[in-house]
Amino acid sequence: MELNLSESRSRSIRCIVKLGGAAITCKNELEKIHDENLEVVACQLRQAMLEGSAPSKVIGMDWSKRPGSSEISCDVDDLGDQESSAFSKFVVVHGAGSFGHFQASRSGVHKGGLEKPIVKAGFVATRISVTNLNLEIVRALAREGIPTIGMSPFSCGWSTSKRDVASADLSTVAKTIESGFVPVLHGDAVLDNILGCTILSGDVIIRHLADHLKPEYVVFLTDVLGVYDRPPSEPEAVLLKEIAVGEDGSWKVVNPVLERTNKKVDYSLAAHDTTGGMETKISEAAMIAKLGIDVYIVKAATTHSQRALNGDLRDSVPEDWLGTIIRFSK
Amino acid sequence: MELNLSESRSRSIRCIVKLGGAAITCKNELEKIHDENLEVVACQLRQAMLEGSAPSKVIGMDWSKRPGSSEISCDVDDLGDQESSAFSKFVVVHGAGSFGHFQASRSGVHKGGLEKPIVKAGFVATRISVTNLNLEIVRALAREGIPTIGMSPFSCGWSTSKRDVASADLSTVAKTIESGFVPVLHGDAVLDNILGCTILSGDVIIRHLADHLKPEYVVFLTDVLGVYDRPPSEPEAVLLKEIAVGEDGSWKVVNPVLERTNKKVDYSLAAHDTTGGMETKISEAAMIAKLGIDVYIVKAATTHSQRALNGDLRDSVPEDWLGTIIRFSK
């Protein structure tokens, strides 16, 4: 297994992309996908992945029956003489957004205790909801011609020990990438050695994948421009454009140069973030950056996200780019 | 891994059930589930799995939003003081029926050749279709209170070598069962060491699982009463009630006592079965029976299927039971 992984490393994964739950689902409506955003995200992903000249035609890979139709849509008659598009290696991980959240919080799946009927039922219900979302995202990407393969962490043998990743079959993920597919993983309910069960978040999955697959860069697509020094809805909120991460994992804002001390920035970030959302995200991103992998946090379905996905920011960051870069700095 | 498996063996899986594609989907309509059958199948499975007295109330485990509703249906307010139902250990595997078939045959996924754009697209399209079916079956069983977990063979690390199973992570399946869940696997498109890719059928999955999990019995739910000596639509077709399998894997009909020679029965079976469907099924079933595991082939959603699922046929077979038993005979 280790051999397979080192092999896949040498063939270089270009990018791991997180599709944030807030970007691809409608926050205020249960189990509702943000179709417009998802369509643009799929299109931008395809652009970013394509190497060389784009083929004249997108080969749609979702040949399912559409609602209200009794026919299957499959326009592949002239596929025989079509050149195969060269795609660089991407991995996609998505959050749950308005899927899974209700089921998980209603039953307390993250706290464990599978012997309780409500936790067991909630575990099943959570997995149904997040795998439903996974299928819809795989379909949206496949319609754009991206050869996506849905892979549930539970099925791939991911399990935790007190919420830390305890096992994960990365050899199947690596083989899937080597075969020219784009694995699409997701935050999932998993078994936990100590707690019985818990929720494995998409962010933790990303960190684990980044650690083992060593991509060139990681992109978090979200619903705001990036990380702010206070809730972005506040009029004086400042977008943090660059955060430097030290060898010890500590981080500080280097652009813009803030008048307040770093300690204060930490505080104000934490204050608006009782759910652990943005602070957790920065901590997870900092751990990835510590590996020497640039992390871009950017608003989905914008010109900024396209540039981040393309890898345009690797050498220098244009003045007009809006987003947050988190990178290692010795 | 071996340790885990032997452990799970000692805690005895009761039954592996195949939900035949023909029984749970509408044959003549693309990607259409046979809802009525599936509902009865789920109800019968629950009956068969329950140990001891049935709880007063079914705990539905699909808390998804229903079409046309903005609410989530989750009636778990009084779950706190509900006793957990004791379920015996079952594994479910389903076929594809009218899902996946079009996508796979249109692209030739079973023949391999992932370097061809149409095969790669067909691979993605096939997996979308069969995982869609898997999700719907998991939901139907969960609604009946069965703690189901969808597990795609692709994600579980199943791969083949010239269509024979080359690898399969059974430890995740075993752990899922030990945690009190019912894994639901399915026929899937998988990577093949030699061909690049192929289709792994539900029947092959069942044989592999039976070999390693050693269930007490295996039930194939189908859309006819059992195995006949000729196409069941022919007026003189005779239901083969019992087939005995020898140590060398050969099989013969022992009930009813047929006037023709066995060779002729073989021939007539093969003749109506150009797709390999029924003959493949008997061969696969014979290989399971050779392990000392009784196999029942029975019509889904009938009193006969309920008795087979319950395990009522293990000691003696009632005269009025209709179906085909395939068992080892020294």
Side-chain angles (χ1 to χ4, degrees):
Chain A
M1 195 142 81
E2 270 312 307
L3 265 177
N4 279 344
L5 282 178
S6 351
E7 210 180 291
S8 76
R9 270 177 217 172
S10 68
R11 294 190 206 165
S12 87
I13 311 292
R14 198 162 120 217
C15 177
I16 300 179
V17 185
K18 167 80 184 288
L19 311 186
I24 49 160
T25 71
C26 301
K27 259 189 208 172
N28 301 319
E29 197 173 340
L30 282 172
E31 300 195 335
K32 173 103 179 86
I33 287 169
H34 196 312
D35 291 313
E36 300 79 11
N37 263 8
L38 182 55
E39 202 175 307
V40 177
V41 165
C43 185
Q44 290 195 346
L45 264 177
R46 179 184 160 80
Q47 285 298 327
M49 292 176 62
L50 271 177
E51 289 176 344
S53 60
S56 49
K57 194 178 144 192
V58 171
I59 303 171
M61 298 184 181
D62 176 15
W63 304 348
S64 305
K65 205 166 69 177
R66 299 285 189 274
S69 162
S70 63
E71 295 284 305
I72 287 212
S73 56
C74 164
D75 183 23
V76 292
D77 289 336
D78 44 2
L79 260 185
D81 46 354
Q82 177 107 19
E83 281 289 302
S84 191
S85 316
F87 282 116
S88 51
K89 299 186 173 76
F90 274 58
V91 177
V92 172
V93 180
H94 63 81
S98 61
F99 287 74
H101 182 74
F102 166 82
Q103 291 84 353
S105 61
R106 181 71 186 74
S107 58
V109 168
H110 60 289
K111 288 182 288 190
L114 269 181
E115 68 286 354
K116 293 183 208 135
I118 190 168
V119 175
K120 184 179 255 184
F123 191 94
V124 170
T126 302
R127 293 211 72 249
I128 287 173
S129 188
V130 294
T131 53
N132 188 0
L133 175 62
N134 183 254
L135 178 61
E136 291 308 321
I137 290 176
V138 164
R139 290 182 62 177
L141 270 49
R143 280 196 293 272
E144 233 4 89
I146 302 171
T148 36
I149 297 282
M151 300 183 77
S152 279
F154 182 101
S155 311
C156 293
W158 292 65
S159 66
T160 54
S161 187
K162 239 178 168 178
R163 299 197 182 96
D164 281 336
V165 175
S167 72
D169 176 17
L170 295 182
S171 67
T172 301
V173 175
K175 250 169 55 178
T176 305
I177 300 168
E178 284 314 311
S179 302
F181 295 106
V182 178
V184 183
L185 290 85
H186 59 88
D188 203 1
V190 296
L191 300 178
D192 186 287
N193 299 338
I194 311 285
L195 306 168
C197 67
T198 195
I199 298 292
L200 176 66
S201 80
D203 290 342
V204 173
I205 293 170
I206 294 251
R207 172 158 57 90
H208 196 80
L209 288 175
D211 196 7
H212 288 84
L213 301 176
K214 300 274 189 287
E216 293 178 41
Y217 52 100
V218 170
V219 179
F220 285 85
L221 299 176
T222 181
D223 64 337
V224 287
L225 285 174
V227 180
Y228 289 82
D229 66 339
R230 70 197 79 182
S233 55
E234 288 185 16
E236 284 176 60
V238 175
L239 178 66
L240 309 180
K241 297 191 76 169
E242 188 169 350
I243 292 172
V245 178
E247 301 230 34
D248 60 353
S250 69
W251 52 270
K252 61 176 183 187
V253 180
V254 294
N255 178 12
V257 179
L258 297 172
E259 285 163 36
R260 282 155 297 175
T261 68
N262 284 322
K263 203 166 171 239
K264 259 201 157 165
V265 174
D266 278 6
Y267 176 78
S268 61
L269 271 165
H272 89 266
D273 192 34
T274 48
T275 62
M278 196 49 88
E279 203 189 19
T280 308
K281 198 175 289 304
I282 294 183
S283 311
E284 292 288 341
M287 281 192 271
I288 297 169
K290 241 184 77 182
L291 302 166
I293 300 164
D294 282 5
V295 177
Y296 313 123
I297 301 180
V298 63
K299 184 168 182 168
T302 60
T303 56
H304 311 294
S305 60
Q306 182 73 74
R307 285 159 114 175
L309 290 168
N310 288 351
D312 292 349
L313 313 171
R314 276 175 292 180
D315 300 323
S316 68
V317 181
E319 259 310 301
D320 62 348
W321 184 76
L322 293 179
T324 302
I325 294 185
I326 301 177
R327 56 164 59 124
F328 182 61
S329 140
K330 273 184 204 169
Chain B
M1 195 142 84
E2 270 310 309
L3 265 177
N4 279 345
L5 282 179
S6 348
E7 212 179 288
S8 77
R9 270 177 217 173
S10 68
R11 296 190 205 166
S12 85
I13 311 290
R14 199 162 120 217
C15 176
I16 300 179
V17 185
K18 166 79 184 288
L19 310 186
I24 48 159
T25 71
C26 300
K27 258 188 209 171
N28 301 319
E29 196 173 339
L30 282 172
E31 300 196 334
K32 173 104 179 84
I33 287 170
H34 196 311
D35 291 312
E36 299 80 11
N37 263 8
L38 183 54
E39 201 175 309
V40 177
V41 165
C43 185
Q44 291 196 345
L45 264 177
R46 178 184 160 81
Q47 286 297 328
M49 292 176 62
L50 271 177
E51 289 177 342
S53 61
S56 49
K57 196 178 143 191
V58 170
I59 303 172
M61 298 185 181
D62 176 15
W63 304 348
S64 306
K65 205 166 68 177
R66 299 286 190 273
S69 162
S70 63
E71 297 282 306
I72 287 210
S73 55
C74 164
D75 183 22
V76 292
D77 289 334
D78 45 1
L79 260 185
D81 47 353
Q82 178 105 22
E83 281 288 301
S84 191
S85 317
F87 282 117
S88 52
K89 299 187 171 77
F90 273 58
V91 178
V92 172
V93 180
H94 63 81
S98 61
F99 287 74
H101 181 75
F102 165 83
Q103 291 85 352
S105 62
R106 180 71 186 74
S107 58
V109 168
H110 60 289
K111 288 182 288 189
L114 269 182
E115 68 287 352
K116 293 184 209 133
I118 190 170
V119 175
K120 184 179 258 187
F123 190 94
V124 170
T126 302
R127 293 211 73 247
I128 287 172
S129 188
V130 293
T131 53
N132 188 0
L133 175 62
N134 181 252
L135 178 61
E136 291 307 320
I137 291 174
V138 164
R139 290 183 62 179
L141 269 48
R143 279 196 293 273
E144 230 7 87
I146 301 171
T148 36
I149 297 282
M151 300 184 77
S152 279
F154 182 101
S155 310
C156 294
W158 291 66
S159 66
T160 54
S161 187
K162 235 175 172 181
R163 299 195 183 97
D164 280 335
V165 176
S167 71
D169 175 17
L170 294 183
S171 67
T172 300
V173 175
K175 250 170 52 178
T176 305
I177 301 168
E178 285 313 312
S179 302
F181 295 106
V182 178
V184 183
L185 289 85
H186 59 88
D188 203 1
V190 296
L191 300 178
D192 186 287
N193 299 337
I194 311 286
L195 305 168
C197 66
T198 194
I199 298 292
L200 176 66
S201 79
D203 289 343
V204 174
I205 293 170
I206 294 251
R207 172 159 55 89
H208 196 80
L209 287 176
D211 197 5
H212 288 84
L213 301 177
K214 299 277 189 288
E216 292 178 41
Y217 52 99
V218 170
V219 179
F220 285 84
L221 298 176
T222 180
D223 64 336
V224 288
L225 285 174
V227 180
Y228 288 81
D229 67 338
R230 70 198 79 182
S233 56
E234 288 186 16
E236 284 178 61
V238 175
L239 178 66
L240 309 179
K241 297 191 76 169
E242 186 168 351
I243 293 173
V245 178
E247 302 230 33
D248 60 352
S250 70
W251 52 270
K252 61 176 184 184
V253 180
V254 293
N255 178 13
V257 180
L258 297 171
E259 284 163 34
R260 284 155 293 176
T261 68
N262 284 322
K263 202 166 169 236
K264 258 200 158 165
V265 174
D266 279 6
Y267 175 79
S268 59
L269 271 167
H272 87 268
D273 191 32
T274 48
T275 62
M278 196 48 86
E279 203 189 17
T280 308
K281 197 174 291 304
I282 295 183
S283 311
E284 293 286 343
M287 281 192 272
I288 297 168
K290 241 184 77 182
L291 303 166
I293 300 164
D294 281 6
V295 177
Y296 313 124
I297 302 180
V298 63
K299 185 168 182 170
T302 60
T303 55
H304 311 294
S305 58
Q306 182 72 74
R307 285 159 114 174
L309 290 168
N310 289 351
D312 292 349
L313 313 171
R314 277 175 289 182
D315 300 323
S316 68
V317 181
E319 258 310 300
D320 61 349
W321 184 78
L322 294 178
T324 302
I325 294 185
I326 301 177
R327 57 164 56 126
F328 182 61
S329 138
K330 271 183 204 165

